[in-house]
RNA sequence: GGGACCGUAGCACAAUUGGUUAGUGUACCGGACUGUCGAUCCGGGGGUUGCGGGUUCGAAUCCCGUCGGUCUCGCCA
């Protein structure tokens, strides 16, 4: 048989199927797992496309000897024959065949791995954040991260396709530009040709897209890098991130919403996460919620709409109350708001304390609450309130026995905000366990017949847990469906059981779960007494789909956020101004948005009542973007800025480019800029933005792989006319923290560095 | 800049809550094994418990400082 002629491969590692049996093929890839049985050696060869099992036997002693020497993550090139497997592996796409190797070359051997690409049993792929960043190219080989980056491409591609299909033109705008009017700190780039002057990296291409509108391009978009020197969050990358930046001329905000909601509504079907349950959009068109409505109902301007538990205004019940905390707040023009947590009292005193601790950790004073029993009412403010007031609350909120009612008071926003935090915390606590986990290991040897058949055919067992569903006196069987054992149409088996101290109550799951592995399972899934647990076995997709269906049913019945649902909304009618900490009038959002009512509103209304054509898009409690219909009228802009203390001259100098453009025929225009990274996080259920970025920075904005930021050569600084002066940065060495004033040094390589004498040895003083 | 939690072998985690020689898994090295597939079994090497100081007869454990990590408030569209 002739050898495949391509120097590296004839097929990929995800390609071989039974129809290739008998062919002679060449594969290249990484040695993923090596299973050495001396007389038989198996190597799983992995590339971007999949995994193929290579086999070696002792008919060729020299070959198998070399196969046994192969170290994980070495790059191999092999030639061999595709044969059918004696025992297929349903977990691999190529699992029906294997490659009987006849030639093996180690193209690029791998040293001992600093982090393992194959995740060891019982370990998390999230462990050792620093090591992951330092060895990012290895981390990126791991299944989940590799998959995330590929899915990110699908998201970005969908965004591009959608925007083009809607008639938008893609642009690239300057990266070296000047400081823009957004509020964050700038990254500055010193200019060599103009010593002492600086470029700024764009915080967003805001000014440029408005220039393009003034230039007549009508519909602009860009997958735009944005640079902001601000501190990180779990969902906010430090330094840089990407937005789908878009802007349109001659539009209302509804025109902008249409483009964006069509893009997001189509996204879940364009991006399928392998092995995960599909996402669906809760409501289309997306609800438009006025800013103050969102605050009043959810206590936040980024409401989580996947479950109810809305806040209720009870100010009228306490207007003349003898309970001073509430009546004083109302007397000062504020509100008293209440949130009913159904069954909240049945979850024990610990649950109330946890909620109280949560709000205290966030800086609130405490959490006044009432506990409604069959007849009596308890709780922290039971003694300070009258029976009439407590009955009024019971009636207003339709309280049942076992409900917990928590209160917030203060200004309209403050009263709602604390309850908004409680609302989210309740949902967080109650939805613990809802995420689907792979638990195949526990059931590897089960003899439960339905499960056994499904595992053998599909290879996967997954599980989720509903916290305390069986405790709350609810009929969990009717919520989830009658039978404890089900076989789905595609051969997927589903087992459901409530949980007691000793384990599952239902026979089938008890039978499937060997007593020896019960503890392992309980630890893995987090089962506790009163929980209800569902497991499904079959293919990766089949088991996910079956569980997803069950879970959605439970979430609906229990008022929990369904992990498979995307609840988008637009928040509209933001206030144009607000008062800052010193009580001064300030722009509440973007100073370049158009006030509703235009110049007349600015002249005649109380500034705090003026609304802006300013909006946000949120999903599942996460802000994806804000945007606005812009203010393209210089006279309105001067007046708007005047109110916050800017003179005409200041506006002209600071925003010269914009004002100039708007004085030469600018179209009405508006847009928004949804975050690309956050969109991907949402779709992939990733809790941290680093999981969807190929080369992220750590919290302190360092790239541990590239070693950025770093010192530069002394001559570079001289060319730029710069000196380093750390006198305003304390008297500690930035490396070791010792109390030794850092000094500038030029080290042996010519780098200009800062540190104490101990940290930069051998350096000569600059 | 503030707060919370964390830091033990390359990596993940233990250490009966202050008590003998700091353990287990994985990775690494060696051995056994003819169909494995997260292989299994046996053996071996590997530790300044982040660093500095303090309390104590005795510190991985308690206290202070510091460095590093994650989350969070401030900040941020």
């Amino acid at each position: 048989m002739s050898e495949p002629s391509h120097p590296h491969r004839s097929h990929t590692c995800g390609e071989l199927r039974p129809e290739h049996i008998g062919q002679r093929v060449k594969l290249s890839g990484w040695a993923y797992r090596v299973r050495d049985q001396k007389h038989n050696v198996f190597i799983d060869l992995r590339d971007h496309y999949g995994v193929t099992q290579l086999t070696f036997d002792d008919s060729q002693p020299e070959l198998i000897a070399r196969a046994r020497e192969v170290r994980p993550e070495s790059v191999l090139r092999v030639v061999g024959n595709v044969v059918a497997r004696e025992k297929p592996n349903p977990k691999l796409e190529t699992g029906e065949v294997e490659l009987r190797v006849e030639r093996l070359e180690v193209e690029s051997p791998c040293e001992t791995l600093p982090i393992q690409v194959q995740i060891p049993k019982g370990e998390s792929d999230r462990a050792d954040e620093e090591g992951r960043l330092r060895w990012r190219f290895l981390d990126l080989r791991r299944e989940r991260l590799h998959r995330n980056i590929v899915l990110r491409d699908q998201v970005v591609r969908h965004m591009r396709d959608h925007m083009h299909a809607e008639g938008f033109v893609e642009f690239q705008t300057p990266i070296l530009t000047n400081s823009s009017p957004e509020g964050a700190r700038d990254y500055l780039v010193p200019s060599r040709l103009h010593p002492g002057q600086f470029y700024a990296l764009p915080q967003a291409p805001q000014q440029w897209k408005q220039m393009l509108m003034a230039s007549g391009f009508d519909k602009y978009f860009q997958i735009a890098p944005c640079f902001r020197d601000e501190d990180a969050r779990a969902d906010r990358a430090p330094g840089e991130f990407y937005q789908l930046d878009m802007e349109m001329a001659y539009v209302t905000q509804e025109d902008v919403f249409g483009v964006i909601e069509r893009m997001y509504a189509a996204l879940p079907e364009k991006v399928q996460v392998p092995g995960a349950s599909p996402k669906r959009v809760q409501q289309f068109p997306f609800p438009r919620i006025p800013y103050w409505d969102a605050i009043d109902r959810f206590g936040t301007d980024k409401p989580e709409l996947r479950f109810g538990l809305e806040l209720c205004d009870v100010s009228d019940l306490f207007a003349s109350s003898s309970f001073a905390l509430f009546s004083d707040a109302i007397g000062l023009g504020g509100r008293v708001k209440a949130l009913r947590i159904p069954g909240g009292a049945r979850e024990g005193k610990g649950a109330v304390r946890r909620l109280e601790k949560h709000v205290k950790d966030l800086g609130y004073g405490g959490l006044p609450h009432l506990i409604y029993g069959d007849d009596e009412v308890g709780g922290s403010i039971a003694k300070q309130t009258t029976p009439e007031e407590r009955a009024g609350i019971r009636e207003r909120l339709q309280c049942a026995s076992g409900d917990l009612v928590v209160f917030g008071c203060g200004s309209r926003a403050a009263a709602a905000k604390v309850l908004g935090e409680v609302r989210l915390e309740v949902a967080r606590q109650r939805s613990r366990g809802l995420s689907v986990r792979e638990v195949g290991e526990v059931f590897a040897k089960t003899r439960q017949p339905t499960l056994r058949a499904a595992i053998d055919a599909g290879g996967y067992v997954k599980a989720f847990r509903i916290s305390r569903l069986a405790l709350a006196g609810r009929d969990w069987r009717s919520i989830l469906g009658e039978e404890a054992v089900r076989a789905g149409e595609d051969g997927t088996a589903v087992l459901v059981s409530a949980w007691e101290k000793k384990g599952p109550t239902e026979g089938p799951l008890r039978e499937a779960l060997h007593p020896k592995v019960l503890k392992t399972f309980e630890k893995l899934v987090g089962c506790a007494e009163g929980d209800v647990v569902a497991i499904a076995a079959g293919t990766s997709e089949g088991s996910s789909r079956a569980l997803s269906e069950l879970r959605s049913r439970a979430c609906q019945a229990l008022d929990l956020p369904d992990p498979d649902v995307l609840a988008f909304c637009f928040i509209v009618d933001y206030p144009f101004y607000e008062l800052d900490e010193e009580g001064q009038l300030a722009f509440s959002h973007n100073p370049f948005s158009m006030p509703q009512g235009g110049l007349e509103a600015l002249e005649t209304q109380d500034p705090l009542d003026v609304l802006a054509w300013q909006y946000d898009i949120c999903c599942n409690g996460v802000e994806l973007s804000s945007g606005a219909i812009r203010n393209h009228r210089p006279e309105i802009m001067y007046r708007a800025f005047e109110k916050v203390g800017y003179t005409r001259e200041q506006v002209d100098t600071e925003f010269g480019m914009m004002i100039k453009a708007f004085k030469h025929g600018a179209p009405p225009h508006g847009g928004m800029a949804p975050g690309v990274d956050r969109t991907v996080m949402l779709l992939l259920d990733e809790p941290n933005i680093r999981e969807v970025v190929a080369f992220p920075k750590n919290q302190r904005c360092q790239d541990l792989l590239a070693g950025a930021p770093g010192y530069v050569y002394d001559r570079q600084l001289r060319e730029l006319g710069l000196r380093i002066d750390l006198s305003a940065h304390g008297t500690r060495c930035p490396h070791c923290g010792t109390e030794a004033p850092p000094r500038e040094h030029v080290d042996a390589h010519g780098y200009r560095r800062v540190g104490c004498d101990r940290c930069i040895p051998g350096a000569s003083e600059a």
Side-chain angles (χ1 to χ4, degrees):
Chain A
M1 237 188 289
S2 69
E3 190 115 317
S5 60
H6 191 278
H8 301 306
R9 64 186 176 194
S10 62
H11 297 74
T12 71
C13 295
E15 202 174 347
L16 298 179
R17 296 290 183 277
E19 70 245 34
H20 296 98
I21 289 169
Q23 288 186 25
R24 189 174 170 80
V25 303
K26 187 183 283 181
L27 298 181
S28 281
W30 287 264
Y32 193 28
R33 286 179 284 254
V34 181
R35 292 178 292 280
D36 175 4
Q37 288 182 296
K38 191 172 192 176
H39 302 289
N40 274 305
V41 172
F42 303 91
I43 296 177
D44 289 340
L45 194 70
R46 183 200 73 238
D47 65 11
H48 177 77
Y49 305 95
V51 175
T52 300
Q53 174 163 283
L54 313 177
T55 72
F56 303 81
D57 60 41
D58 52 6
S59 62
Q60 289 177 279
E62 188 272 338
L63 183 65
I64 195 172
R66 282 196 297 123
R68 296 182 71 190
E69 301 292 308
V70 167
R71 301 171 61 99
E73 293 307 310
S74 298
V75 169
L76 311 180
R77 176 172 47 245
V78 294
V79 178
N81 290 315
V82 181
V83 298
R85 283 219 208 178
E86 288 174 21
K87 217 165 100 193
N89 181 352
K91 286 192 178 183
L92 293 183
E93 302 251 339
T94 62
E96 292 192 54
V97 299
E98 62 191 6
L99 191 70
R100 186 159 293 164
V101 176
E102 289 169 7
R103 224 183 72 209
L104 164 71
E105 289 160 277
V106 179
E107 169 70 25
S108 172
C110 181
E111 298 181 355
T112 300
L113 289 165
I115 67 169
Q116 286 159 251
V117 173
Q118 183 205 159
I119 313 296
K121 199 184 269 186
E123 288 183 27
S124 151
D125 57 357
R126 310 300 167 79
D128 187 26
E129 286 286 338
E130 195 178 340
R132 291 180 60 198
L133 294 177
R134 203 173 288 283
W135 298 91
R136 190 62 168 179
F137 57 91
L138 294 176
D139 197 15
L140 284 163
R141 288 185 199 170
R142 310 221 271 215
E143 198 177 335
R144 176 159 191 157
L145 196 50
H146 200 90
R147 181 203 76 185
N148 285 0
I149 300 303
V150 171
L151 291 169
R152 184 191 171 103
D153 164 69
Q154 293 178 17
V155 173
V156 171
R157 189 183 312 200
H158 168 68
M159 288 175 167
R160 278 218 163 83
D161 289 349
H162 177 82
M163 298 310 280
H164 282 134
E166 297 248 3
F168 285 74
V169 178
E170 183 169 5
F171 285 83
Q172 294 78 43
T173 53
I175 301 296
L176 292 176
T177 177
N178 63 349
S179 190
S180 66
E182 277 95 16
R185 278 182 281 265
D186 285 319
Y187 279 100
L188 298 177
V189 180
S191 163
R192 177 181 57 85
L193 296 174
H194 305 276
Q197 296 185 41
F198 293 82
Y199 301 96
L201 304 183
Q203 295 184 20
Q206 183 67 34
Q207 299 191 87
W208 295 109
K209 68 179 179 180
Q210 294 196 242
M211 286 305 106
L212 289 166
M213 291 296 101
S215 311
F217 284 104
D218 205 62
K219 289 179 179 174
Y220 148 98
F221 91 97
Q222 173 176 202
I223 307 288
C226 303
F227 304 91
R228 291 179 197 158
D229 187 1
E230 294 295 343
D231 291 344
R233 285 285 182 281
D235 62 354
R236 193 172 83 200
E240 56 190 311
F241 61 94
Y242 283 82
Q243 291 182 336
L244 169 59
D245 194 39
M246 56 87 79
E247 195 80 4
M248 313 163 73
Y250 305 111
V251 289
T252 65
Q253 71 180 16
E254 277 300 321
D255 296 319
V256 176
F257 292 174
V259 173
I260 294 298
E261 76 186 333
R262 285 189 292 276
M263 190 277 288
Y264 272 118
L267 195 51
E269 51 195 77
K270 294 283 163 116
V271 182
Q272 294 284 348
V273 182
S277 44
K279 300 266 183 198
R280 59 179 185 280
V281 173
Q282 178 164 292
Q283 193 182 339
F284 185 88
F286 304 162
R288 277 71 164 155
I289 304 176
Y291 170 82
W292 278 112
D293 263 22
I295 299 287
D296 289 342
R297 292 166 60 196
F298 306 103
T300 172
D301 66 347
K302 38 184 182 181
E304 157 71 273
L305 298 176
R306 286 179 297 174
F307 61 98
L309 293 184
E310 293 193 21
L311 317 183
C312 185
D313 195 304
V314 294
S315 306
D316 55 314
L317 298 176
F318 291 99
S320 53
S321 173
S322 60
F323 183 31
L325 182 67
F326 286 180
S327 53
D328 286 359
I330 295 163
L332 290 167
R335 306 278 172 98
V336 177
K337 313 257 326 177
L339 170 67
R340 180 176 75 96
I341 302 163
R346 276 199 298 260
E347 291 179 22
K349 282 183 187 153
V352 182
R353 274 200 298 274
R354 276 198 299 277
L355 290 179
E356 190 150 26
K357 183 177 184 307
H358 179 73
V359 299
K360 280 184 173 169
D361 286 348
L362 292 171
Y364 297 95
L367 195 59
H369 62 273
L370 290 173
I371 290 168
Y372 283 83
D374 288 328
D375 300 310
E376 74 291 358
V377 183
S380 66
I381 60 167
K383 290 209 173 75
Q384 291 98 315
T385 50
T386 65
E388 292 72 34
E389 286 164 348
R390 297 195 294 268
I393 295 291
R394 184 195 286 268
E395 194 191 349
R396 173 80 51 90
L397 302 184
Q398 308 262 299
C399 296
S401 177
D403 285 356
L404 169 69
V405 178
V406 296
F407 295 88
C409 63
S411 70
R412 184 177 181 182
K417 211 174 156 198
V418 59
L419 294 187
E421 296 287 357
V422 174
R423 176 177 179 267
L424 289 178
E425 182 62 15
V426 168
R428 260 195 296 270
Q429 284 179 15
R430 291 185 169 181
S431 26
R432 238 169 240 153
L434 279 181
S435 57
V436 170
R437 252 168 260 263
E438 231 263 277
V439 293
E441 159 199 3
V442 178
F443 294 96
K445 289 176 184 160
T446 189
R447 287 194 201 136
Q448 206 284 331
T450 319
L451 206 50
R452 185 74 261 161
I455 294 171
D456 288 342
Y460 285 88
V461 190
K462 300 182 182 182
F464 77 92
R465 170 177 69 88
I466 309 164
S467 204
R468 304 169 84 83
L469 173 57
L471 262 201
R474 297 188 190 89
D475 182 4
W476 60 268
R477 281 187 192 78
S478 68
I479 290 171
L480 295 179
E482 284 304 320
E483 314 82 30
V485 186
R486 268 167 280 210
E489 294 155 21
D490 54 355
T492 306
V494 180
L495 271 60
V496 184
S497 176
W499 220 258
E500 285 174 348
K501 247 195 188 118
K502 285 176 284 180
T505 55
E506 301 293 313
L509 189 50
R510 202 161 54 208
E511 189 190 332
L513 212 46
H514 193 276
K516 276 184 187 161
V517 294
L518 181 64
K519 280 220 174 85
T520 316
F521 180 81
E522 286 183 334
K523 201 176 166 197
L524 208 58
V525 181
C527 312
E529 199 178 350
D531 293 352
V532 171
V533 173
I535 68 162
T539 60
S540 187
E541 269 75 19
S543 53
S544 287
R545 219 175 15 249
L547 290 182
S548 161
E549 221 171 276
L550 272 182
R551 191 169 62 175
S552 293
R553 221 181 294 176
C555 288
Q556 199 138 37
L558 302 173
D559 230 346
L560 296 175
D562 185 338
D564 296 323
V565 166
L566 297 170
F568 290 98
C569 64
F570 292 107
I571 307 298
V572 301
D573 298 341
Y574 273 82
F576 193 67
Y577 293 113
E578 63 185 7
L579 296 179
D580 64 17
E581 308 89 60
E582 284 120 42
Q584 298 292 310
L585 202 64
F587 289 111
S588 74
H589 252 56
N590 184 329
F592 297 104
S593 63
M594 182 67 94
Q596 294 188 22
L599 196 56
E600 197 195 331
L602 291 181
E603 303 287 4
T604 60
Q605 291 180 23
D606 179 342
L608 292 174
D609 290 337
V610 175
L611 299 177
W613 291 114
Q614 166 84 43
Y615 39 81
D616 275 14
I617 180 170
C618 298
C619 183
N620 297 357
V622 175
E623 182 189 324
L624 290 172
S625 168
S626 60
I629 299 299
R630 319 294 171 187
N631 184 347
H632 67 290
R633 305 267 293 270
E635 72 276 20
I636 303 180
M637 203 176 287
Y638 286 130
R639 188 79 185 100
F641 272 94
E642 194 187 324
K643 296 228 174 215
V644 297
Y646 276 71
T647 63
R648 255 171 192 263
E649 290 67 36
Q650 280 174 305
V651 174
D652 283 339
T653 7
E654 286 203 32
F655 315 115
M657 174 167 84
M658 305 259 270
I659 290 285
K660 210 190 293 174
F662 295 163
K663 284 181 176 170
H664 292 82
H669 61 284
M672 63 197 315
V676 172
D677 313 272
R678 277 193 192 174
T679 300
V680 179
M681 281 174 76
L682 208 57
L683 237 48
L684 304 189
D685 283 322
E686 284 292 0
N688 193 292
I689 201 158
R690 289 186 297 270
E691 307 299 331
V692 299
V693 175
F695 298 106
K697 294 178 169 52
N698 69 3
Q699 192 160 40
R700 299 199 306 152
C701 206
Q702 294 166 304
D703 182 330
L704 298 180
L705 178 59
Y711 292 109
V712 298
Y713 289 114
D714 184 43
R715 57 174 158 73
Q716 292 176 291
L717 290 178
R718 286 179 192 280
E719 267 183 345
L720 295 166
L722 297 180
R723 288 188 60 89
I724 294 171
D725 175 8
L726 291 185
S727 57
H729 289 254
T731 55
R732 288 183 185 282
C733 169
H735 305 283
C736 63
T738 53
E739 193 70 36
R743 291 185 302 171
E744 258 184 284
H745 299 277
V746 177
D747 72 9
H749 306 286
Y751 286 112
R752 182 173 284 258
R753 299 162 63 115
V754 176
C756 69
D757 294 330
R758 209 178 71 190
C759 287
I760 305 178
S764 62
E765 195 168 337

